[in-house]
């Protein structure tokens, strides 16, 4: 089983080829290929390579499936005994990516 830990949009994800992930909005068009080059760790079978902080020459290729908004989160602030209440909603802008391949050290692990 091959996987990589990448940093994108301010979060770290453990990604595998052929699976899709929802990340904060990536500024790319739908069906466009995106290269994630901040790879922190790569595991290919038995070997594990850890970067300090990132691996040089390691890339993860992903394809943008769609852009959408996440579920609504309610933010409610209240100060007791002061009669102040503030209710606010938030929906995060997200992008769904499907991982096509992980490349490191001349080896490429692609989706089946």
């Amino acid at each position: 089983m091959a996987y990589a830990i990448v940093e994108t949009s301010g979060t770290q994800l453990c990604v595998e080829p052929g699976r899709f992930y929802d990340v904060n909005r990536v500024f790319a068009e739908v069906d466009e290929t995106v290269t994630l080059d901040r790879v922190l760790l790569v595991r290919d079978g038995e070997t594990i390579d850890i970067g300090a902080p990132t691996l040089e020459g390691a890339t993860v290729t992903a394809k943008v499936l769609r852009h959408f908004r996440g579920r609504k989160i309610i933010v409610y602030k209240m100060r007791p005994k002061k009669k102040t209440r503030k209710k606010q909603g938030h929906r995060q802008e997200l992008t769904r990516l499907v991982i096509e391949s992980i490349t490191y050290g001349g080896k490429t692990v692609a989706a089946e």
Side-chain angles (χ1 to χ4, degrees), residues 1-109:
M1 178 175 112
Y3 65 87
I5 296 178
V6 297
E7 180 182 344
T8 178
S9 303
T11 59
Q12 295 179 4
L13 294 169
C14 182
V15 297
E16 297 176 16
R19 297 191 63 182
F20 64 86
Y21 299 93
D22 297 334
V23 298
N24 289 339
R25 180 61 59 100
V26 175
F27 296 105
E29 297 296 322
V30 176
D31 292 332
E32 187 176 329
T33 302
V34 178
T35 302
L36 308 174
D37 55 356
R38 293 204 35 95
V39 180
L40 307 175
L41 179 139
V42 172
R43 178 174 186 240
D44 183 22
E46 298 298 320
T47 61
I48 297 176
D49 295 313
I50 301 172
T54 61
L55 289 170
E56 295 296 323
T59 59
V60 174
T61 305
K63 182 178 176 185
V64 176
L65 291 182
R66 67 183 180 117
H67 300 293
F68 65 102
R69 297 178 79 191
R71 12 176 262 135
K72 188 164 193 173
I73 296 173
I74 303 297
V75 180
Y76 189 75
K77 296 181 181 179
M78 181 186 85
R79 294 182 64 199
K81 302 176 191 168
K82 304 289 187 212
K83 294 188 180 178
T84 29
R85 287 157 174 75
K86 185 177 181 182
K87 184 177 178 182
Q88 189 175 14
H90 175 76
R91 292 183 70 184
Q92 187 68 32
E93 301 286 332
L94 300 173
T95 299
R96 179 160 288 178
L97 299 174
V98 63
I99 305 300
E100 293 180 339
S101 66
I102 299 171
T103 304
Y104 179 65
K107 297 165 95 177
T108 301
V109 179

